[in-house]
Structures are given as structure tokens and as C-alpha cells.
């Protein structure tokens, strides 16, 4: 009955105490739910299917469309996700399709209008080589994506990693968006993150004549150098995120920052801290980090190119060590704790959030390094193992007393 158009509503628990008790998931609150109205669907034609290469080498197919208006927005591109999606929907060039904006934001192909298909529309052949660098593109078993294996030898991957490095949740360098990164890379001025921070000095010493580049005058360059210099100090977790380690998003970067604490503790950064099986085993214990992430971390820190970039950055920037600023003193601070059994007075997620606030590290498995086991109802093998290792066992009631104190 509203006098204006809306795309949905949000239902909320209307009590702040209840909201705090119910808590949050990684990306959304548990105490609210969105009710989106059905998205508008329109017809258009697929002109071509292009392949884009992401920063981790993933080949993503994108449909180029006859421009069409959806919900007041002119749409000319739509992601097709991966090879399986193209096969499942049997999407071909020159097909007429229904599209909508998923969540009223991202354009998506819903289905092919088969009765409008011409016999000349042939099935799309997914590339076995990178369209940019020509290297082999492979699809590993049990993975939905195809990747270019060239890594930092692939220009597209280098550019995408640089874009990620300067993005808002990483170094957040204002005025250095995707187009400028791409332009500077093509001119050979920035080929890795270190060269972003040496650009001003190189411009002076090597007379790069940056002001002669179209769109860059003396004033805009001064603003760029100023914005770069503003970002010569960064929090450890944001730095880890900026590196573009596959599967390491903001939350995982924060977990790793909490584990390593300082840049010097990262694998292979100094001679005394090599990437060992013991280190990988410890990282594996961190709650929220699984086997596939461990493998990506191992691969990243075993690559000498990545290590040299980190060392190069250390000469240009200051990284602020991880500290738990929420609380200065707590019996849980810097302790490794494990939960077992069903908790009665709080959810497991709520209990973990309290532990994090108190400065503890939450892991999944019992080991000799575990300091406390928090005991719930119907505990299993973790309880038996903790007793054998003489680990301090705390009941849920006593844990709640620690929180309340």
C-alpha cells in the first residue's frame, strides 16, 4: 500500500537485549531476515560469451547481451559463473534468454528461450588455454572452476591482484582504481605491489614523465602520491587480506593475524621461521580454517615470488602488529581453548564470540597446546583426550562466571 516502489522488507527481532543474545553470523545478523520480492525478468539476446581471468586465475564466462532495461538499470553483461552452469542451462551465443538481477543487483541468465533458438547456434566450447597468456587452463577434480596455471606470469592475474591490493578493504588507496592500475601496468610502471610505493621516488630519479600520461597532470600526480603515502601504515589483518591469498577473505585474514601476531612470524619471512608441518598443523587447529585453505596458504608461502614481494613491501611500509585491544586482562587472554558438548545457557557461536572478546584462540581439536576445554552436555572423545593430557576442564557454569566477571 506504499506510494513508492520497494524491492522487499526486513523482519527484525524488536528488542536490543534479544538481538545481542541471538548474535550474528559472519555476514548477517541472526535476528533479522530479508524478504525480497520476485525480481523482474526480461528477454534479451546473447551477443557473445567472453572469458575473464580473476586474480587467482579462475576463468569466468561472461555473457555480452543486447542492452536491456531491468528495474531502471541498463544491463549489457551477465555472469555465467562456470562451465557447469553453461552446460546445465545449455547457453549458446545468439540464444534468446530470460535475465533478471539477482537480489535486484547482479544480472543473471535464468533460462534459454528454446523456441527462439536457431539451428546455427552451436554449443559453447570452454577454453583449455588462458585467453590472455595462452598458458594451460585446468579444472581440478571436485572443483567447479577452471584456472590458468601461469600465476604471476599471467598479465590478467597480476592486474587483478594489484586491483585487490589497493581496494577498500585492503590498502584503500584513493584515486587508484581499476582503470588507473590497468593503465600503469600496461605502461610497465607498476608490475607488483612494491612498485606502487616506489613510484614517486622512481618518477624523480628515473624521470618517468608521468605528467605526460593522458589524464595525469602535476596536481593529480601530487594527489596520488599523497594518497599512497597515507597508506604506508596498515593493520596486520588488512595486510594479509591485501596479499590476495586464495580463499583468505577478511575473516580468515583476521584469524591468521591473531595466530601469527606479527609479520616476522609469517612463514619463510626469516630464516628461523620456515613453513613446517608443525606450523601447518597449528593453523589447521584454528576454528574456521579447513584443509583446502591450509593448502592455499602452504602454496602461497612456498612461492619465492610472493615472499620477495612481502619482503620488498617491508622496506616501504609499516605493519601494525595484531593486538587484542578489546580487553587488557583476562584469564583467557592468549589461551587456546576448545568447546565440546551441547551448551545450555548460550549458543556455541555466542560462546566463541565471548572467548574471542576475552582474547582467547578457539580451535577445533584437543592437543598438548590446548589450555582449556569448555565442557557442555553429552561431551565425547574431546573430554576423554583432555583428561589424558591433563588439560584444565571448565564447566559451562564456570565459563559463564568468567564471562560475567
Amino acid at each position: 500500500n506504499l506510494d513508492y516502489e520497494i524491492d522487499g522488507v526486513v523482519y527484525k527481532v524488536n528488542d536490543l537485549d534479544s538481538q545481542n543474545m541471538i548474535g550474528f553470523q559472519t555476514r548477517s545478523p541472526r535476528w533479522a531476515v530479508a524478504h525480497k520480492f520476485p525480481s523482474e525478468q526480461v528477454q534479451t539476446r546473447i551477443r557473445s560469451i567472453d572469458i575473464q581471468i580473476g586474480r587467482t586465475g579462475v576463468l569466468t564466462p561472461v555473457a555480452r547481451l543486447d542492452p536491456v532495461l531491468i528495474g531502471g538499470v541498463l544491463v549489457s553483461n551477465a555472469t555465467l559463473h562456470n562451465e557447469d552452469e553453461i552446460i546445465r542451462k545449455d547457453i549458446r551465443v545468439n540464444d534468446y534468454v530470460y535475465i533478471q538481477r539477482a537480489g535486484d543487483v547482479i544480472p543473471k541468465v535464468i533460462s534459454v528461450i528454446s523456441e527462439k533458438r536457431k539451428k546455427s547456434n552451436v554449443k559453447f566450447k570452454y577454453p583449455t588455454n588462458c585467453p590472455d597468456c595462452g598458458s594451460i587452463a585446468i579444472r581440478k577434480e571436485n572443483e567447479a572452476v577452471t584456472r590458468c596455471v601461469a600465476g604471476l606470469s599471467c598479465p590478467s592475474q597480476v592486474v587483478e591482484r594489484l586491483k585487490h591490493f589497493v581496494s577498500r578493504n585492503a590498502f584503500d588507496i584513493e584515486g587508484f582504481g581499476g582503470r588507473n592500475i590497468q593503465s600503469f601496468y600496461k605502461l610497465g610502471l607498476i608490475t607488483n605491489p612494491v612498485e606502487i610505493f616506489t613510484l614517486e621516488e622512481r618518477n624523480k630519479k628515473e624521470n618517468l614523465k608521468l605528467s605526460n600520461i593522458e589524464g595525469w597532470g602535476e596536481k593529480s600526480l601530487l594527489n596520488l602520491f599523497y594518497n599512497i603515502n597515507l597508506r604506508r601504515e596498515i593493520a596486520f589483518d588488512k595486510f594479509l587480506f591485501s596479499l590476495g591469498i586464495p580463499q583468505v577473505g577478511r575473516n580468515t585474514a583476521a584469524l591468521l593475524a591473531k595466530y601469527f601476531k606479527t609479520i616476522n612470524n609469517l612463514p619463510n619471512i626469516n630464516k628461523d621461521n620456515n613453513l613446517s608441518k608443525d606450523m601447518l598443523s597449528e593453523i589447521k587447529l584454528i576454528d574456521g580454517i579447513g584443509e583446502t585453505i591450509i593448502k592455499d596458504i602452504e602454496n602461497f608461502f612456498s612461492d619465492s615470488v610472493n615472499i620477495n614481494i612481502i619482503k620488498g613491501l617491508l622496506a616501504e611500509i609499516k605493519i601494525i602488529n595484531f593486538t587484542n585491544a578489546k580487553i587488557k586482562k583476562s584469564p583467557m587472554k592468549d589461551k587456546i581453548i576448545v568447546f565440546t558438548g551441547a551448551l545450555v545457557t548460550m549458543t556455541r557461536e555466542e560462546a566463541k564470540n565471548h572467548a574471542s572478546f576475552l582474547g582467547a584462540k578457539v580451535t577445533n581439536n584437543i592437543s598438548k597446546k590446548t589450555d582449556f576445554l569448555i565442557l557442555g552436555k553429552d561431551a565425547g572423545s574431546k573430554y576423554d583426550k583432555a583428561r589424558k593430557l591433563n588439560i584444565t576442564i571448565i564447566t559451562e557454569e564456570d565459563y559463564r562466571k568468567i564471562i560475567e566477571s
Side-chain angles (χ1 to χ4, degrees), residues 7 14 27 60 65 71 81 100 116 130 153 179 196-197 238 244 255 274 299 304 311 339 352 381:
D7 63 356
N14 194 24
R27 298 186 181 185
T60 302
L65 311 167
H81 301 292
Q100 70 179 38
K116 287 191 173 185
C130 173
S153 299
R179 285 184 181 179
I196 292 172
F197 292 99
K238 293 188 78 171
L255 292 172
N274 295 325
N299 291 339
S304 59
K311 288 179 177 179
F339 291 91
K352 287 179 180 179
S381 59

Side-chain angles (χ1 to χ4, degrees), residues 114-318:
S114 55
E115 57 269 24
K116 287 191 173 185
R117 173 175 286 167
K118 294 180 180 178
K119 290 182 179 180
S120 58
N121 295 3
V122 297
K123 289 189 176 183
F124 181 75
K125 190 175 180 182
Y126 216 79
T128 54
N129 293 85
C130 173
D132 189 9
C133 68
S135 299
I136 295 171
I138 61 170
R139 179 176 174 179
K140 292 181 181 178
E141 193 176 352
N142 299 323
E143 282 196 4
V145 298
T146 302
R147 295 179 192 270
C148 166
V149 300
L152 292 175
S153 299
C154 174
S156 287
Q157 291 185 57
V158 175
V159 170
E160 291 305 316
R161 287 195 190 188
L162 288 169
K163 288 178 183 178
H164 176 79
F165 184 83
V166 301
S167 64
R168 181 172 294 177
N169 293 316
F171 272 81
D172 191 19
I173 300 176
E174 192 177 336
F176 219 12
R179 285 184 181 179
N180 290 332
I181 285 287
Q182 195 144 12
S183 170
F184 277 54
Y185 176 80
K186 283 183 177 179
L187 293 168
L189 297 169
I190 293 176
T191 59
N192 64 63
V194 182
E195 291 180 343
I196 292 172
F197 292 99
T198 62
L199 185 63
E200 183 177 12
E201 186 180 356
R202 287 186 289 124
N203 188 45
K204 290 176 183 176
K205 289 185 177 180
E206 301 170 25
N207 193 23
L208 298 178
K209 297 181 179 179
L210 298 180
S211 58
N212 292 343
I213 300 172
E214 187 179 350
W216 290 95
E218 291 292 343
K219 188 173 181 180
S220 55
L221 280 172
L222 285 174
N223 287 335
L224 176 63
F225 296 147
Y226 174 77
N227 290 331
I228 290 172
N229 290 328
L230 278 180
R231 296 294 182 260
R232 288 186 183 269
E233 188 173 285
I234 190 170
F236 189 24
D237 59 328
K238 293 188 78 171
F239 176 77
L240 287 172
F241 174 72
S242 77
L243 295 175
I245 305 168
Q247 294 197 78
V248 176
R250 291 163 63 189
N251 292 307
T252 305
L255 292 172
L256 291 173
K258 190 173 183 181
Y259 170 78
F260 288 111
K261 286 189 170 59
T262 76
I263 188 74
N264 291 322
N265 290 335
L266 286 179
N268 298 326
I269 296 302
N270 59 59
K271 293 179 182 178
D272 301 323
N273 205 29
N274 295 325
L275 185 63
S276 62
K277 288 183 179 179
D278 287 342
M279 182 182 285
L280 290 171
S281 297
E282 287 181 14
I283 298 171
K284 188 178 177 180
L285 290 173
I286 300 171
D287 187 51
I289 295 183
E291 290 281 356
T292 59
I293 299 177
I294 292 288
K295 192 65 183 173
D296 283 334
I297 291 169
E298 183 180 10
N299 291 339
F300 186 89
F301 288 105
S302 298
D303 191 325
S304 59
V305 175
N306 294 327
I307 297 300
N308 288 333
I309 287 173
I310 293 172
K311 288 179 177 179
L313 285 168
L314 289 177
E316 300 294 331
I317 64 172
K318 178 184 177 183

Side-chain angles (χ1 to χ4, degrees), residues 6-13 19 29 31-37:
I6 62 171
D7 63 356
V9 293
V10 176
Y11 308 111
K12 298 180 182 180
V13 174
Q19 287 182 6
W31 44 264
V33 60
H35 178 173
K36 301 287 283 186
F37 300 148

Side-chain angles (χ1 to χ4, degrees), residues 1-31:
N1 294 325
L2 295 173
D3 295 330
Y4 48 87
E5 199 172 350
I6 62 171
D7 63 356
V9 293
V10 176
Y11 308 111
K12 298 180 182 180
V13 174
N14 194 24
D15 178 76
L16 291 177
D17 289 337
S18 297
Q19 287 182 6
N20 289 331
M21 182 179 70
I22 296 168
F24 293 80
Q25 298 181 86
T26 303
R27 298 186 181 185
S28 60
R30 283 197 172 85
W31 44 264

